[in-house]
Each structure stands twice: as structure tokens, then as C-alpha cells.
Amino acid sequence: MTIPTSGTTSGEWVAGYLATDPPRHKSLVMTLCGDAIAPHGGAFWLGSMIELLGPLGVSDRLVRTSVFRLVQDGWLVASREGRRSRYALEPASLPRLARANRRIYSPPRLDWDGRWTFVLAPSGSIDGELRAQLRKELEWEGFAMLATGVMAHPAPAPDTLRDIVARSGAAGRVYACTAAELPGVGARPLPDLVGDGWDLSAVAAAYRQFIARFTPLLALLEADTLLAPQDAFAIRSLLIHAYRRVQLHDPMLPVALLPQPWPGTDAYALARRIYLLTWARAEEHVLAMLRREDDTTAPADGDFYRRFGGLA
């Protein structure tokens, strides 16, 4: 994929990015729902979304199509007031959106107690459809399938695992346990499971590409003290869209188990730095667009200000 030229201003960088790698429209709407809409109550009028996405090269028609498809996929619910359409995040989608946000805005995990978590679904315990659904959900959270009916991860969030098992309908039908090495047995060390379960080469390459594309932008932002709110919003949105696209394919293994140097660490630091330089002016633009349609739109909630370790 072509890496955009840096340009001489942040606005030129945005234009170059959109010209060489325009985001998929539906995916970009989803990024905005998580990054810009959720902190303000999780709802928007269609006109506001059209205004927000226009400078990012997304037409009125494409916004409508993308939003309609997100309703069909169960991410949004629609309502009408006269000729106006309002959309809100579907309540059932909120836990998954919250998990995605924790992954995106939290630093790489440094601590690890050496234990692994296994989810076991013996033959006959669940049918093929449920097994496939559970595997899909667990793989989205970074689990690897080590053998038929055996999924593993070294450091999953217990609450997340509990939610996945319950929501998929597998509660009471699968086993979940933690395990550590038995010293002196002479077996292969458990960290070797990383090589057996995950191919990290594509994730590492994607992180390196992210770094190559956004490092020139950081230099421009550090020199630009007059960044316009609309440009700040465009940059913040493209940043999170690109970072999300890479990071949600990362199994989020503890740093101790990753090949070193791991580019995900530098990618997080870069994303954090750019976000800190743009979030405040971007928020000015977000609120202005949302309040054109609804002047009661609330300021960003407390979770927003805890992103990337705290916005200041």
C-alpha cells in the first residue's frame, strides 16, 4: 500500500491520505461512533453525521447507506422525528464497543503472571454452530485455537471471557481454566504456544506501516500551533481509524511473550502523542456539528478523558 507523502501542512497530509488510501465508508462511520459519538451519549442525527464525514470525502448517499447497514448489522437503532432520522448505539452492542475502546486506548500489557487461560469444548458438548460462534468471538478477543475444542490466551480479561461465554449461549456447556507450567517435568515451555497459536508477522508489519504513515504527521502537528478544529477532527478520526484497523487484529499478548522489539509499543506511543495534540480542537468540531441538530448534546463523558492514560 502506498504511504502518503507528508505535505507541508497537516491539511495537505489529510488530503494526501484520503487520496491514496480512502477509508471504507461503513468502517469509518463505525470508527466515529466509537471515538466521537459514544462519549456524547451514543446518539446522533443523520444530518450531523453527514456534516462530520463530508470533509473526509464521504458523500451524503454513502453516509446514509453506511448507517443503514450498521442498523441491519445490529450496531445502531433508528428512530424518526418528522423528516429527520436519529440513530443510537444498539444497547446490545455496547459491551463489545466498550471492549474495543479499552483495547484501542489502553497501553500494551506489561504485567503477566505466567498463567494461561484455556476454554475447552469437548466433542459433543456443543453443536457445530455454537462452536463456530464461540470460536469467532474468542478469536476476536485474541484467543487462538490450539486443537479442536481448545482455545487459549495468556492474559484475557476475566469479565470479557465471562461475557462472551454467556452471550454466545455456551454458559454451562464449556470449561474454562487457568494453567501454569509444571517445573521439572521436561515438557516444552508454555511460552512456546505463542509460536504454535499465533502468526504475528502480519500484525507486526501493519504496525510498522502505521508508524511510517503517521510519523511525518506528528512532526507537522508539533510545528502547527494554529490547527483548525475541522482539521484536528479529520486527523483524529483518520488516526483512530487506522490504528483501530491494525490493533483489533492484535491478539494483545503480554509484552513478555512478544518478539522484541515489538512495533505495537511504538505504534501506541505514536497514536497517543497525536491524539493528545488533536483531541481538544477536534472536540470543538464534534460538539459544533452535533449541536447543530441537537443543542442539548452533552460534553464528553469521564471515560473519554481517561483515554490513552489521561487527556490533558
PDB file of all heavy atoms in Angstrom, residues 4-7 9-20 55-56 217 220 227 230-236 238:
ATOM      1  N   PRO A   4       1.217   7.840   2.090  1.00  0.00           N
ATOM      2  CA  PRO A   4       1.011   9.206   1.628  1.00  0.00           C
ATOM      3  C   PRO A   4       2.233  10.075   1.880  1.00  0.00           C
ATOM      4  O   PRO A   4       2.973   9.888   2.843  1.00  0.00           O
ATOM      5  CB  PRO A   4      -0.179   9.681   2.479  1.00  0.00           C
ATOM      6  CG  PRO A   4      -0.816   8.435   3.001  1.00  0.00           C
ATOM      7  CD  PRO A   4       0.257   7.430   3.105  1.00  0.00           C
ATOM      8  N   THR A   5       2.446  11.029   1.005  1.00  0.00           N
ATOM      9  CA  THR A   5       3.507  11.999   1.234  1.00  0.00           C
ATOM     10  C   THR A   5       3.112  12.891   2.397  1.00  0.00           C
ATOM     11  O   THR A   5       1.942  13.076   2.696  1.00  0.00           O
ATOM     12  CB  THR A   5       3.736  12.857  -0.018  1.00  0.00           C
ATOM     13  OG1 THR A   5       2.491  13.471  -0.372  1.00  0.00           O
ATOM     14  CG2 THR A   5       4.221  11.991  -1.160  1.00  0.00           C
ATOM     15  N   SER A   6       4.095  13.465   3.071  1.00  0.00           N
ATOM     16  CA  SER A   6       3.808  14.203   4.298  1.00  0.00           C
ATOM     17  C   SER A   6       3.166  15.555   4.031  1.00  0.00           C
ATOM     18  O   SER A   6       2.374  16.035   4.818  1.00  0.00           O
ATOM     19  CB  SER A   6       5.106  14.389   5.095  1.00  0.00           C
ATOM     20  OG  SER A   6       6.048  15.130   4.345  1.00  0.00           O
ATOM     21  N   GLY A   7       3.474  16.206   2.914  1.00  0.00           N
ATOM     22  CA  GLY A   7       2.973  17.553   2.683  1.00  0.00           C
ATOM     23  C   GLY A   7       3.692  18.553   3.576  1.00  0.00           C
ATOM     24  O   GLY A   7       4.603  18.215   4.330  1.00  0.00           O
ATOM     25  N   THR A   9       1.722  20.951   5.358  1.00  0.00           N
ATOM     26  CA  THR A   9       0.782  21.300   6.418  1.00  0.00           C
ATOM     27  C   THR A   9      -0.030  20.054   6.766  1.00  0.00           C
ATOM     28  O   THR A   9      -0.103  19.095   5.992  1.00  0.00           O
ATOM     29  CB  THR A   9      -0.192  22.408   5.978  1.00  0.00           C
ATOM     30  OG1 THR A   9      -1.061  21.897   4.954  1.00  0.00           O
ATOM     31  CG2 THR A   9       0.561  23.625   5.462  1.00  0.00           C
ATOM     32  N   SER A  10      -0.666  20.109   7.935  1.00  0.00           N
ATOM     33  CA  SER A  10      -1.493  18.975   8.341  1.00  0.00           C
ATOM     34  C   SER A  10      -2.673  18.790   7.391  1.00  0.00           C
ATOM     35  O   SER A  10      -3.089  17.657   7.117  1.00  0.00           O
ATOM     36  CB  SER A  10      -1.976  19.169   9.776  1.00  0.00           C
ATOM     37  OG  SER A  10      -2.648  20.414   9.919  1.00  0.00           O
ATOM     38  N   GLY A  11      -3.220  19.900   6.874  1.00  0.00           N
ATOM     39  CA  GLY A  11      -4.310  19.798   5.914  1.00  0.00           C
ATOM     40  C   GLY A  11      -3.885  19.076   4.650  1.00  0.00           C
ATOM     41  O   GLY A  11      -4.646  18.272   4.091  1.00  0.00           O
ATOM     42  N   GLU A  12      -2.672  19.358   4.160  1.00  0.00           N
ATOM     43  CA  GLU A  12      -2.161  18.665   2.979  1.00  0.00           C
ATOM     44  C   GLU A  12      -1.936  17.189   3.274  1.00  0.00           C
ATOM     45  O   GLU A  12      -2.152  16.331   2.412  1.00  0.00           O
ATOM     46  CB  GLU A  12      -0.868  19.325   2.513  1.00  0.00           C
ATOM     47  CG  GLU A  12      -1.084  20.707   1.909  1.00  0.00           C
ATOM     48  CD  GLU A  12       0.234  21.359   1.517  1.00  0.00           C
ATOM     49  OE1 GLU A  12       1.306  20.780   1.816  1.00  0.00           O
ATOM     50  OE2 GLU A  12       0.196  22.441   0.915  1.00  0.00           O
ATOM     51  N   TRP A  13      -1.502  16.880   4.506  1.00  0.00           N
ATOM     52  CA  TRP A  13      -1.320  15.479   4.881  1.00  0.00           C
ATOM     53  C   TRP A  13      -2.651  14.744   4.814  1.00  0.00           C
ATOM     54  O   TRP A  13      -2.737  13.633   4.277  1.00  0.00           O
ATOM     55  CB  TRP A  13      -0.728  15.372   6.280  1.00  0.00           C
ATOM     56  CG  TRP A  13      -0.395  13.952   6.667  1.00  0.00           C
ATOM     57  CD1 TRP A  13       0.808  13.327   6.539  1.00  0.00           C
ATOM     58  CD2 TRP A  13      -1.304  12.979   7.208  1.00  0.00           C
ATOM     59  NE1 TRP A  13       0.715  12.016   6.973  1.00  0.00           N
ATOM     60  CE2 TRP A  13      -0.569  11.780   7.389  1.00  0.00           C
ATOM     61  CE3 TRP A  13      -2.645  12.996   7.559  1.00  0.00           C
ATOM     62  CZ2 TRP A  13      -1.143  10.623   7.906  1.00  0.00           C
ATOM     63  CZ3 TRP A  13      -3.230  11.841   8.064  1.00  0.00           C
ATOM     64  CH2 TRP A  13      -2.482  10.668   8.244  1.00  0.00           C
ATOM     65  N   VAL A  14      -3.718  15.363   5.347  1.00  0.00           N
ATOM     66  CA  VAL A  14      -5.047  14.744   5.310  1.00  0.00           C
ATOM     67  C   VAL A  14      -5.481  14.510   3.874  1.00  0.00           C
ATOM     68  O   VAL A  14      -5.972  13.429   3.512  1.00  0.00           O
ATOM     69  CB  VAL A  14      -6.076  15.610   6.060  1.00  0.00           C
ATOM     70  CG1 VAL A  14      -7.499  15.117   5.796  1.00  0.00           C
ATOM     71  CG2 VAL A  14      -5.786  15.624   7.551  1.00  0.00           C
ATOM     72  N   ALA A  15      -5.293  15.517   3.024  1.00  0.00           N
ATOM     73  CA  ALA A  15      -5.681  15.383   1.616  1.00  0.00           C
ATOM     74  C   ALA A  15      -4.909  14.254   0.945  1.00  0.00           C
ATOM     75  O   ALA A  15      -5.478  13.467   0.168  1.00  0.00           O
ATOM     76  CB  ALA A  15      -5.449  16.698   0.886  1.00  0.00           C
ATOM     77  N   GLY A  16      -3.622  14.147   1.222  1.00  0.00           N
ATOM     78  CA  GLY A  16      -2.821  13.078   0.648  1.00  0.00           C
ATOM     79  C   GLY A  16      -3.248  11.709   1.133  1.00  0.00           C
ATOM     80  O   GLY A  16      -3.297  10.747   0.365  1.00  0.00           O
ATOM     81  N   TYR A  17      -3.578  11.618   2.397  1.00  0.00           N
ATOM     82  CA  TYR A  17      -4.033  10.350   2.967  1.00  0.00           C
ATOM     83  C   TYR A  17      -5.324   9.899   2.292  1.00  0.00           C
ATOM     84  O   TYR A  17      -5.469   8.740   1.878  1.00  0.00           O
ATOM     85  CB  TYR A  17      -4.242  10.512   4.475  1.00  0.00           C
ATOM     86  CG  TYR A  17      -4.514   9.218   5.209  1.00  0.00           C
ATOM     87  CD1 TYR A  17      -3.531   8.611   5.972  1.00  0.00           C
ATOM     88  CD2 TYR A  17      -5.757   8.601   5.135  1.00  0.00           C
ATOM     89  CE1 TYR A  17      -3.780   7.425   6.654  1.00  0.00           C
ATOM     90  CE2 TYR A  17      -6.016   7.415   5.805  1.00  0.00           C
ATOM     91  CZ  TYR A  17      -5.025   6.833   6.562  1.00  0.00           C
ATOM     92  OH  TYR A  17      -5.275   5.653   7.216  1.00  0.00           O
ATOM     93  N   LEU A  18      -6.283  10.824   2.192  1.00  0.00           N
ATOM     94  CA  LEU A  18      -7.577  10.475   1.597  1.00  0.00           C
ATOM     95  C   LEU A  18      -7.441  10.118   0.121  1.00  0.00           C
ATOM     96  O   LEU A  18      -8.201   9.296  -0.402  1.00  0.00           O
ATOM     97  CB  LEU A  18      -8.557  11.631   1.773  1.00  0.00           C
ATOM     98  CG  LEU A  18      -8.991  11.928   3.214  1.00  0.00           C
ATOM     99  CD1 LEU A  18      -9.839  13.183   3.263  1.00  0.00           C
ATOM    100  CD2 LEU A  18      -9.756  10.746   3.804  1.00  0.00           C
ATOM    101  N   ALA A  19      -6.476  10.733  -0.553  1.00  0.00           N
ATOM    102  CA  ALA A  19      -6.283  10.456  -1.980  1.00  0.00           C
ATOM    103  C   ALA A  19      -5.653   9.089  -2.214  1.00  0.00           C
ATOM    104  O   ALA A  19      -5.962   8.414  -3.202  1.00  0.00           O
ATOM    105  CB  ALA A  19      -5.417  11.541  -2.615  1.00  0.00           C
ATOM    106  N   THR A  20      -4.765   8.660  -1.304  1.00  0.00           N
ATOM    107  CA  THR A  20      -4.039   7.410  -1.532  1.00  0.00           C
ATOM    108  C   THR A  20      -4.650   6.207  -0.834  1.00  0.00           C
ATOM    109  O   THR A  20      -4.474   5.072  -1.280  1.00  0.00           O
ATOM    110  CB  THR A  20      -2.581   7.555  -1.054  1.00  0.00           C
ATOM    111  OG1 THR A  20      -2.569   7.933   0.332  1.00  0.00           O
ATOM    112  CG2 THR A  20      -1.852   8.597  -1.875  1.00  0.00           C
ATOM    113  N   PRO A  55     -16.050  16.409   5.044  1.00  0.00           N
ATOM    114  CA  PRO A  55     -14.649  16.754   4.787  1.00  0.00           C
ATOM    115  C   PRO A  55     -13.728  15.547   4.659  1.00  0.00           C
ATOM    116  O   PRO A  55     -12.577  15.689   4.240  1.00  0.00           O
ATOM    117  CB  PRO A  55     -14.270  17.596   6.023  1.00  0.00           C
ATOM    118  CG  PRO A  55     -15.566  18.109   6.547  1.00  0.00           C
ATOM    119  CD  PRO A  55     -16.543  17.018   6.290  1.00  0.00           C
ATOM    120  N   LEU A  56     -14.216  14.358   5.032  1.00  0.00           N
ATOM    121  CA  LEU A  56     -13.414  13.144   4.895  1.00  0.00           C
ATOM    122  C   LEU A  56     -13.732  12.404   3.600  1.00  0.00           C
ATOM    123  O   LEU A  56     -13.358  11.245   3.419  1.00  0.00           O
ATOM    124  CB  LEU A  56     -13.646  12.222   6.097  1.00  0.00           C
ATOM    125  CG  LEU A  56     -13.118  12.767   7.432  1.00  0.00           C
ATOM    126  CD1 LEU A  56     -13.510  11.848   8.579  1.00  0.00           C
ATOM    127  CD2 LEU A  56     -11.608  12.956   7.387  1.00  0.00           C
ATOM    128  N   LEU A 217       3.266  13.021  10.088  1.00  0.00           N
ATOM    129  CA  LEU A 217       2.177  13.866  10.578  1.00  0.00           C
ATOM    130  C   LEU A 217       2.508  14.427  11.952  1.00  0.00           C
ATOM    131  O   LEU A 217       2.217  15.599  12.238  1.00  0.00           O
ATOM    132  CB  LEU A 217       0.878  13.054  10.637  1.00  0.00           C
ATOM    133  CG  LEU A 217      -0.314  13.756  11.295  1.00  0.00           C
ATOM    134  CD1 LEU A 217      -0.711  15.007  10.523  1.00  0.00           C
ATOM    135  CD2 LEU A 217      -1.496  12.792  11.410  1.00  0.00           C
ATOM    136  N   LEU A 220       4.526  17.513  11.687  1.00  0.00           N
ATOM    137  CA  LEU A 220       3.729  18.657  11.235  1.00  0.00           C
ATOM    138  C   LEU A 220       2.886  19.225  12.375  1.00  0.00           C
ATOM    139  O   LEU A 220       2.773  20.444  12.529  1.00  0.00           O
ATOM    140  CB  LEU A 220       2.822  18.239  10.072  1.00  0.00           C
ATOM    141  CG  LEU A 220       3.507  17.856   8.763  1.00  0.00           C
ATOM    142  CD1 LEU A 220       2.478  17.308   7.782  1.00  0.00           C
ATOM    143  CD2 LEU A 220       4.232  19.054   8.164  1.00  0.00           C
ATOM    144  N   LEU A 227      -3.836  24.798  14.425  1.00  0.00           N
ATOM    145  CA  LEU A 227      -4.614  23.736  13.816  1.00  0.00           C
ATOM    146  C   LEU A 227      -6.114  24.033  13.944  1.00  0.00           C
ATOM    147  O   LEU A 227      -6.627  24.256  15.041  1.00  0.00           O
ATOM    148  CB  LEU A 227      -4.292  22.400  14.500  1.00  0.00           C
ATOM    149  CG  LEU A 227      -4.920  21.136  13.912  1.00  0.00           C
ATOM    150  CD1 LEU A 227      -4.412  20.902  12.494  1.00  0.00           C
ATOM    151  CD2 LEU A 227      -4.616  19.936  14.805  1.00  0.00           C
ATOM    152  N   GLN A 230     -11.718  21.628  12.448  1.00  0.00           N
ATOM    153  CA  GLN A 230     -12.113  20.631  11.451  1.00  0.00           C
ATOM    154  C   GLN A 230     -10.931  19.769  11.040  1.00  0.00           C
ATOM    155  O   GLN A 230     -11.065  18.551  10.883  1.00  0.00           O
ATOM    156  CB  GLN A 230     -12.711  21.307  10.217  1.00  0.00           C
ATOM    157  CG  GLN A 230     -13.136  20.307   9.136  1.00  0.00           C
ATOM    158  CD  GLN A 230     -13.866  20.978   7.978  1.00  0.00           C
ATOM    159  OE1 GLN A 230     -14.945  21.513   8.146  1.00  0.00           O
ATOM    160  NE2 GLN A 230     -13.246  20.953   6.809  1.00  0.00           N
ATOM    161  N   ASP A 231      -9.750  20.367  10.889  1.00  0.00           N
ATOM    162  CA  ASP A 231      -8.559  19.587  10.541  1.00  0.00           C
ATOM    163  C   ASP A 231      -8.172  18.659  11.691  1.00  0.00           C
ATOM    164  O   ASP A 231      -7.759  17.515  11.466  1.00  0.00           O
ATOM    165  CB  ASP A 231      -7.391  20.505  10.206  1.00  0.00           C
ATOM    166  CG  ASP A 231      -7.572  21.211   8.865  1.00  0.00           C
ATOM    167  OD1 ASP A 231      -8.396  20.744   8.061  1.00  0.00           O
ATOM    168  OD2 ASP A 231      -6.895  22.235   8.640  1.00  0.00           O
ATOM    169  N   ALA A 232      -8.303  19.157  12.924  1.00  0.00           N
ATOM    170  CA  ALA A 232      -7.991  18.317  14.085  1.00  0.00           C
ATOM    171  C   ALA A 232      -8.922  17.115  14.142  1.00  0.00           C
ATOM    172  O   ALA A 232      -8.492  15.992  14.434  1.00  0.00           O
ATOM    173  CB  ALA A 232      -8.110  19.133  15.373  1.00  0.00           C
ATOM    174  N   PHE A 233     -10.200  17.340  13.842  1.00  0.00           N
ATOM    175  CA  PHE A 233     -11.154  16.235  13.830  1.00  0.00           C
ATOM    176  C   PHE A 233     -10.814  15.232  12.736  1.00  0.00           C
ATOM    177  O   PHE A 233     -10.857  14.013  12.960  1.00  0.00           O
ATOM    178  CB  PHE A 233     -12.572  16.765  13.620  1.00  0.00           C
ATOM    179  CG  PHE A 233     -13.567  15.694  13.280  1.00  0.00           C
ATOM    180  CD1 PHE A 233     -14.031  14.834  14.255  1.00  0.00           C
ATOM    181  CD2 PHE A 233     -14.000  15.523  11.975  1.00  0.00           C
ATOM    182  CE1 PHE A 233     -14.924  13.820  13.949  1.00  0.00           C
ATOM    183  CE2 PHE A 233     -14.897  14.521  11.654  1.00  0.00           C
ATOM    184  CZ  PHE A 233     -15.363  13.669  12.642  1.00  0.00           C
ATOM    185  N   ALA A 234     -10.483  15.709  11.555  1.00  0.00           N
ATOM    186  CA  ALA A 234     -10.137  14.805  10.455  1.00  0.00           C
ATOM    187  C   ALA A 234      -8.920  13.963  10.827  1.00  0.00           C
ATOM    188  O   ALA A 234      -8.899  12.742  10.589  1.00  0.00           O
ATOM    189  CB  ALA A 234      -9.865  15.609   9.180  1.00  0.00           C
ATOM    190  N   ILE A 235      -7.917  14.592  11.421  1.00  0.00           N
ATOM    191  CA  ILE A 235      -6.704  13.864  11.792  1.00  0.00           C
ATOM    192  C   ILE A 235      -7.007  12.839  12.874  1.00  0.00           C
ATOM    193  O   ILE A 235      -6.582  11.679  12.793  1.00  0.00           O
ATOM    194  CB  ILE A 235      -5.621  14.855  12.254  1.00  0.00           C
ATOM    195  CG1 ILE A 235      -5.100  15.642  11.055  1.00  0.00           C
ATOM    196  CG2 ILE A 235      -4.478  14.125  12.963  1.00  0.00           C
ATOM    197  CD1 ILE A 235      -4.240  16.830  11.432  1.00  0.00           C
ATOM    198  N   ARG A 236      -7.729  13.251  13.914  1.00  0.00           N
ATOM    199  CA  ARG A 236      -8.046  12.325  15.000  1.00  0.00           C
ATOM    200  C   ARG A 236      -8.842  11.133  14.481  1.00  0.00           C
ATOM    201  O   ARG A 236      -8.591   9.986  14.866  1.00  0.00           O
ATOM    202  CB  ARG A 236      -8.839  13.052  16.096  1.00  0.00           C
ATOM    203  CG  ARG A 236      -9.000  12.246  17.367  1.00  0.00           C
ATOM    204  CD  ARG A 236      -9.796  13.019  18.405  1.00  0.00           C
ATOM    205  NE  ARG A 236     -11.181  12.541  18.472  1.00  0.00           N
ATOM    206  CZ  ARG A 236     -12.110  13.037  19.283  1.00  0.00           C
ATOM    207  NH1 ARG A 236     -11.805  14.073  20.060  1.00  0.00           N
ATOM    208  NH2 ARG A 236     -13.327  12.546  19.308  1.00  0.00           N
ATOM    209  N   LEU A 238      -8.953   9.873  11.319  1.00  0.00           N
ATOM    210  CA  LEU A 238      -8.129   9.011  10.476  1.00  0.00           C
ATOM    211  C   LEU A 238      -7.109   8.242  11.306  1.00  0.00           C
ATOM    212  O   LEU A 238      -6.803   7.079  11.020  1.00  0.00           O
ATOM    213  CB  LEU A 238      -7.432   9.837   9.402  1.00  0.00           C
ATOM    214  CG  LEU A 238      -8.352  10.471   8.354  1.00  0.00           C
ATOM    215  CD1 LEU A 238      -7.551  11.381   7.422  1.00  0.00           C
ATOM    216  CD2 LEU A 238      -9.102   9.408   7.553  1.00  0.00           C
TER     217      LEU A 238
END
